[in-house]
C-alpha cells in the first residue's frame, strides 16, 4: 500500500479510534490472522437464546437476520414473525431489538407489511430496517416497495432513508448498515427508471440528521452488500465480483480483493465486513490467488490490511475446510466466521460458528452445545460486538440451550468473556 494512503488516513483514524474508545471502552488495533483452532474453555463462555417472547418463552416462528449492537451491552436486532408480544398480531415478519418492536406502524400497532434486515448502531439508539409496510411513518407510503427506514428509539421518530436520490425515487432498497456513531446508514438500492422499472442496484450513504443521500459505488456498475466504518467515512461493498472500499472524504476507491501479485483475483469475492477505523476489511472469496497456500479449492475468509497492502487467509478447522460469513469486530482484532469441514467422499461436519483472536490465533467454538461440543444442525450468519466479547448467530440446532423444542431457527448470543453482558 502506498505511503500516501497511510499518511492521509493516520490522523483521521486516530480520531475514530478515540471516539470508539470513548463509546465502547475499547481501542482499535491492527492484527494478523493465524490458523489455530481450539475448543471453548470449560468456564466462562455462556449461550442464551436472544429471540424469545416477553415472558422468556421460545417463539413459534423462525428468527434470523441478526445484527449485533457493538457496545458493551450488546443486543441483536433480528427478524421474526413471532409473536414476541401480545400486540404482534399482523402474522408478518417484523424487526425487533431485544423485545422491542422496531418496525411498528404509526402511530402505534404493527406494520401492515413484512419487515426485515434490522441494523443497530453501537447502542441501538438508531436502528435501520427494511419494510414493505405502508404505515411506518405519519405520511403513508404510496405503495409497498421495499424501503429503508431508521428508527430513533430514544424519541420514537422514524425517517425514510431510501426515498429518492437527486430527485429520482428509489424503486426498492435493502441491506442497511448503521455506523457505530449513529449518524450514517449505508444501503443498497435501485433507482426507478423512466418506465417504472428498477435500474441496476448501487450502494448509497444516508446522513441521518439532515437526510442527505450520497452515491458510494461507481455509477456504471452493480453494487451490493455494504459495510460502514465507525464514523461513516469508509464504506466497503461488493461489485463485479470484487470487494471495494470507498473513502468518502477523499473520494478514493480501493479494491481489497486483489491477487498477491497485484493482479486480478481468479474468483469472486463478497460479504465485506469493515473494521471501525476502516483499515481492515474481511470478506469471503473463492479466489485461490489472493495469498499463498490457498489449496482447499473452495470459499475462504480473507482479511485485508488496506494500509499495509497485505491479505491474510483465515483457514478452517482442517486442511479441506471452508470458511465464510466473515464478521469483523469494530476493533479489528476479532473475527467471527463459519467453518464447514469437508471429509472424504463428500462427508463432513455441519457448519459451525467460530471466533478468532487475530493476533494470537486463539479460536473458540461459538456454536457450542450445552456440553461444550459442536452444534448438531448448521449455525449461520455470525455478528460480533466491538471487542469480540459477544457473538450472535442463528441456528435450528436444539442442543445449544436447554428447553429448545420449537425445531425452528432461533437467534443466540454467546458471551465469551467474563464480565460482559449476556
Amino acid at each position: 500500500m502506498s505511503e500516501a494512503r497511510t499518511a492521509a488516513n493516520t490522523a483521521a483514524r486516530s480520531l475514530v479510534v478515540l471516539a470508539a474508545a470513548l463509546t465502547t471502552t475499547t481501542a482499535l488495533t491492527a492484527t494478523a490472522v493465524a490458523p489455530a483452532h481450539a475448543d471453548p474453555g470449560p468456564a466462562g463462555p455462556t449461550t442464551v437464546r436472544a429471540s424469545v417472547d416477553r415472558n422468556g418463552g421460545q417463539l413459534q416462528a423462525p428468527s434470523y437476520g441478526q445484527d449485533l449492537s457493538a457496545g458493551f451491552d450488546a443486543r441483536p436486532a433480528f427478524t421474526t414473525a413471532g409473536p414476541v408480544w401480545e400486540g404482534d398480531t399482523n402474522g408478518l415478519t417484523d424487526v425487533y431489538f431485544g423485545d422491542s418492536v422496531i418496525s411498528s406502524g404509526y402511530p402505534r400497532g404493527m406494520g401492515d407489511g413484512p419487515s426485515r434486515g434490522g441494523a443497530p448502531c453501537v447502542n441501538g439508539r438508531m436502528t435501520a430496517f427494511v419494510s414493505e409496510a405502508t404505515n411506518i411513518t405519519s405520511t403513508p407510503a404510496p405503495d409497498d416497495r421495499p424501503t429503508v427506514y431508521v428508527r430513533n428509539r430514544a424519541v420514537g421518530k422514524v425517517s425514510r432513508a431510501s426515498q429518492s436520490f437527486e430527485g429520482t425515487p428509489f424503486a426498492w432498497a435493502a441491506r442497511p448498515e448503521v455506523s457505530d456513531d449513529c449518524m450514517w446508514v449505508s444501503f443498497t438500492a435501485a433507482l426507478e427508471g423512466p418506465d417504472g422499472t428498477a435500474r441496476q442496484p448501487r450502494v448509497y450513504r444516508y446522513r441521518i440528521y439532515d437526510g442527505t443521500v450520497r452515491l458510494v459505488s461507481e455509477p456504471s456498475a452493480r453494487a451490493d452488500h455494504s459495510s460502514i466504518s465507525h464514523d461513516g467515512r469508509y464504506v466497503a461493498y461488493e461489485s463485479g465480483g470484487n470487494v471495494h472500499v470507498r473513502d468518502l472524504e477523499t473520494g478514493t476507491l480501493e479494491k481489497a480483493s486483489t491477487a498477491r501479485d497485484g493482479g486480478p483475483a481468479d474468483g469472486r469475492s463478497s460479504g465485506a465486513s469493515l473494521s471501525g477505523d476502516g483499515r481492515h476489511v474481511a470478506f469471503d472469496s473463492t479466489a485461490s490467488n489472493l495469498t499463498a497456500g490457498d489449496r482447499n479449492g473452495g470459499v475462504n475468509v480473507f482479511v485485508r490490511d488496506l494500509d499495509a497492502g497485505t491479505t491474510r487467509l483465515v483457514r478452517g478447522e482442517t486442511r479441506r475446510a471452508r470458511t465464510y460469513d466473515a464478521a469483523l469486530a469494530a476493533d479489528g482484532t476479532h473475527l467471527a466466521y463459519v467453518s464447514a469441514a469437508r471429509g472424504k467422499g463428500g462427508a463432513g461436519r455441519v457448519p459451525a460458528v467460530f471466533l478468532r483472536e487475530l493476533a494470537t490465533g486463539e479460536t473458540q467454538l461459538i456454536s457450542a452445545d450445552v456440553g461444550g461440543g459442536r452444534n448438531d444442525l448448521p449455525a449461520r450468519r455470525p455478528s460480533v460486538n466491538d471487542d469480540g466479547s459477544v457473538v450472535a448467530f442463528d441456528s435450528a440446532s436444539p442442543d445449544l440451550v436447554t428447553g429448545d423444542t420449537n425445531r425452528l431457527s432461533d437467534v443466540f448470543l454467546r458471551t465469551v468473556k467474563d464480565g460482559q453482558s449476556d
Side-chain angles (χ1 to χ4, degrees), residues 139-218:
T139 302
D143 51 42
D144 62 356
R145 67 183 62 188
T147 301
V148 171
Y149 296 92
V150 182
R151 182 173 293 276
N152 184 331
R153 294 179 57 247
V155 299
K157 180 182 178 181
V158 180
S159 57
R160 189 178 301 169
S162 61
Q163 189 161 347
S164 63
F165 175 67
E166 295 182 344
T168 302
F170 288 111
W172 59 264
R175 288 177 282 281
E177 292 293 331
V178 184
S179 63
D180 280 350
D181 65 3
C182 304
M183 293 181 64
W184 309 89
V185 181
S186 63
F187 61 91
T188 302
L191 292 171
E192 188 177 281
D195 58 354
T197 60
R199 298 176 181 174
Q200 66 181 5
R202 298 184 289 185
V203 170
Y204 297 85
R205 187 188 68 175
Y206 170 77
R207 183 179 174 91
I208 293 174
Y209 293 103
D210 63 12
T212 56
V213 177
R214 180 173 174 182
L215 178 63
V216 174
S217 59
E218 294 292 275

Side-chain angles (χ1 to χ4, degrees), residues 7 20 43 79 149 204-205 241 250 252 310 336:
T79 300
Y149 296 92
Y204 297 85
R205 187 188 68 175
T250 65
T252 57
T310 57

Side-chain angles (χ1 to χ4, degrees), residues 1-7 254 306-309:
M1 183 51 50
S2 68
E3 295 181 0
R5 175 188 168 97
T6 303
E254 187 169 351
L306 294 167
D307 283 358

